[in-house]
Amino acid sequence: MRVPVPEWWARRSLRLKLTAAAALMIAVALVGAASLLVVWLRTSLISGLDQTAFQQAQVIAANQEDGGLPRTLPLSGNGDTAIQIVDAAGGVRSSSANLAGHPPLFHFVPIASETPNHIHTVHDLPLTGAETWRAVALPAGTDSDPLTVYVAVPTAPVDRNLAALTAGLAIGIPPAVALLTGVVWLLTGRALRPVDALRGQTAEITAVDLGRRLDVPPADDALGRLARTLNDLLARLDVATRHQRQFVADAAHELRSPLSSLHTQLEVAVRHPGSAAWETRGPALIEESERLSRLVDDLLRLARLDARPQLRKRPVDLDEIVFREVCHARLHTHLLIDRHAVSAARVYGDGDALARVVRNLLDNSIRYAVDRIDVSLRVHDGIACLVVADDGPGIPVADRGRVFDRFTRLDGARARGTGGSGLGLAIVHDIVAAHHGRVDIEDNAPGARIVVRVPATDL
């Protein structure tokens, strides 16, 4: 059984996740910085010890050359420096007081150098208070009496100081992480407060009030851009919903007329069976049913186009489609349909959909032409250009954009007896757009010239 998540927890889950991630990053950053600090300090302090041992060795070697040193050297500082001067035979000539009486304790070879580059770490010197020493060896004496000066300084003070520093950091880092986490918690809550406000406003918007908009924060940041994007989305949804409602209303209005006509004629025939002249009523009923069938077919076609289906695209010969549709149109009209200007053209598209484009263009021209219709097809610069021109009244320039809107009838085409539903050119526009093409209306002097352009493929 799934346990429902409390609403207060759901609201704070993002804040908790962000704060936890920030706390983890803060802890990692502070621990890393502390570790680097300890390593850097140890390196720096050990380097200082090495420099001290080297300088003391240089001073002792110089004093030995000037006139010799006593067998027991006086201690300096805190008296924790270990010094031995060893001759070539391995005997101890001089040593610090803390190593008096001890045999040679250092056995590495001295290397003449101006800098302390050859420092050795030694252990287990017979002294108390330090376990690790940093030792340096320098050559001294003469060629006939070579000597080696060994100087060692303990690392215990450095280790004690670093241990104290590490303990202090270990004690101080957790409170610092907790404090910074609290600050992040407060800042995150403050930053997410506008997001929660946007969420609340979005939750209140329903399908009946898509005209509402979200409050845009004054700052031009990511949240402001998100609010503007959501407002743009709401605007598009509002427009799409209005178009859908208008489409449904127009479709209902268009369907009501042929249905009412069919119902009236059938009702008269049923109530007065003796006076019904089926020889005269039959063709009218068939005409109304055909008109209704065409309207329903157009509505279904538009609904499928709105759903953006995957067209069955493949290379098709557009000229063959034009020839076939022209032959079919000639059977239903007395007008002259000239197709001599149709040349070969192959496009990548849906053959059935393109046939519907040609059919609707021919139906539209047949509806308004006076004597003839001219159909041409050619390929120019990789574009297949289909032209259907008639010698009818034409389309005014001011109306050439809205004739592709659904259920649009111009003033001269409002009579329903012409059979137009105002959907033919809308279907043409949507199908051509789905094939990445365009459709335009031009002057024909007289009449209308409708031009369809779609990308062509190689023959």
Side-chain angles (χ1 to χ4, degrees):
M1 179 178 180
R2 184 176 181 180
V3 179
V5 179
E7 184 179 356
W8 66 271
W9 179 264
R11 289 198 305 267
R12 293 191 175 185
S13 61
L14 178 60
R15 187 180 180 185
L16 289 172
K17 292 177 181 178
L18 292 176
T19 304
L24 178 61
M25 290 188 293
I26 291 172
V28 171
L30 289 179
V31 171
S35 301
L36 291 176
L37 175 62
V38 171
V39 172
W40 178 79
L41 283 177
R42 178 175 176 80
T43 302
S44 179
L45 293 175
I46 293 297
S47 177
L49 290 178
D50 296 342
Q51 188 68 34
T52 299
F54 182 76
Q55 290 176 354
Q56 289 188 9
Q58 284 182 321
V59 171
I60 294 173
N63 290 335
Q64 177 66 31
E65 293 176 357
D66 291 340
L69 294 172
R71 185 166 183 82
T72 302
L73 300 176
L75 296 176
S76 61
N78 297 327
D80 53 0
T81 303
I83 304 172
Q84 280 188 337
I85 301 175
V86 182
D87 57 21
V92 178
R93 295 283 185 89
S94 299
S95 66
S96 56
N98 53 5
L99 292 182
H102 289 278
L105 301 176
F106 308 97
H107 304 286
F108 50 89
V109 178
I111 300 177
S113 176
E114 297 295 332
T115 58
N117 293 328
H118 300 86
I119 304 296
H120 295 262
T121 301
V122 297
H123 305 276
D124 301 329
L125 292 182
L127 298 173
T128 59
E131 297 181 353
T132 304
W133 300 71
R134 298 288 290 176
V136 62
L138 286 180
T142 62
D143 293 339
S144 59
D145 185 20
L147 300 175
T148 302
V149 178
Y150 293 98
V151 177
V153 292
T155 61
V158 173
D159 295 335
R160 287 194 300 269
N161 293 334
L162 290 178
L165 175 62
T166 302
L169 291 175
I171 295 174
I173 286 179
V177 172
L179 177 62
L180 292 177
T181 301
V183 173
V184 170
W185 172 264
L186 295 177
L187 294 178
T188 304
R190 184 175 180 179
L192 292 179
R193 193 176 297 119
V195 177
D196 191 60
L198 289 178
R199 181 203 59 78
Q201 294 177 14
T202 305
E204 294 175 357
I205 297 177
T206 61
V208 296
D209 58 352
L210 290 176
R212 294 180 55 182
R213 295 295 179 265
L214 304 177
D215 296 334
V216 179
D220 187 15
D221 53 6
L223 188 60
R225 293 191 294 272
L226 174 62
R228 287 189 290 271
T229 302
L230 291 176
N231 282 337
D232 292 341
L233 174 62
L234 290 174
R236 293 193 298 270
L237 289 176
D238 188 19
V239 172
T241 302
R242 292 178 183 273
H243 287 173
Q244 184 180 23
R245 290 172 180 170
Q246 185 65 36
F247 177 75
V248 173
D250 292 339
H253 178 74
E254 293 294 333
L255 289 172
R256 183 185 301 171
S257 178
L259 287 175
S260 298
S261 177
L262 285 174
H263 177 77
T264 300
Q265 296 186 58
L266 290 174
E267 186 178 16
V268 170
V270 170
R271 291 186 177 184
H272 306 283
S275 61
W278 288 105
E279 291 80 2
T280 57
R281 293 184 182 274
L285 292 175
I286 292 176
E287 182 180 355
E288 289 294 333
S289 64
E290 290 179 348
R291 179 164 167 262
L292 182 61
S293 177
R294 290 195 302 269
L295 180 58
V296 171
D297 185 51
D298 289 342
L299 292 174
L300 289 176
R301 171 68 65 175
L302 286 174
R304 291 168 183 167
L305 291 174
D306 288 341
R308 298 186 180 277
Q310 293 293 331
L311 298 176
R312 298 186 298 272
K313 291 185 177 181
R314 58 183 180 83
V316 295
D317 294 323
L318 186 57
D319 54 312
E320 294 183 0
I321 295 176
V322 173
F323 287 148
R324 184 171 61 250
E325 293 300 326
V326 168
C327 292
H328 181 268
R330 285 174 174 175
L331 300 176
H332 301 84
T333 183
H334 64 282
L335 299 173
L336 173 62
I337 303 179
D338 188 355
R339 64 177 188 184
H340 290 93
V342 175
S343 57
R346 173 169 290 186
V347 299
Y348 186 76
D350 189 318
D352 294 336
L354 294 174
R356 186 58 181 262
V357 169
V358 179
R359 189 180 314 135
N360 284 6
L361 292 178
L362 290 174
D363 290 343
N364 181 79
S365 296
I366 290 173
R367 190 172 298 120
Y368 302 113
V370 177
D371 293 316
R372 63 180 292 147
I373 298 172
D374 294 305
V375 181
S376 64
L377 176 65
R378 66 188 181 92
V379 177
H380 179 68
D381 293 337
I383 301 296
C385 183
L386 171 65
V387 179
V388 178
D390 60 68
D391 59 351
I395 301 175
V397 176
D399 297 325
R400 291 177 182 178
R402 69 185 188 93
V403 293
F404 298 111
D405 296 336
R406 298 172 183 183
F407 300 105
T408 298
R409 293 189 182 90
L410 302 183
D411 292 339
R414 293 189 182 277
R416 296 185 183 274
T418 60
S421 62
L423 297 177
L425 293 182
I427 293 175
V428 169
H429 178 272
D430 290 351
I431 293 178
V432 172
H435 285 77
H436 308 288
R438 55 176 295 181
V439 54
D440 301 294
I441 298 178
E442 302 173 354
D443 290 327
N444 195 40
R449 174 186 172 92
I450 302 179
V451 183
V452 173
R453 297 178 176 89
V454 294
T457 61
D458 296 332
L459 296 176

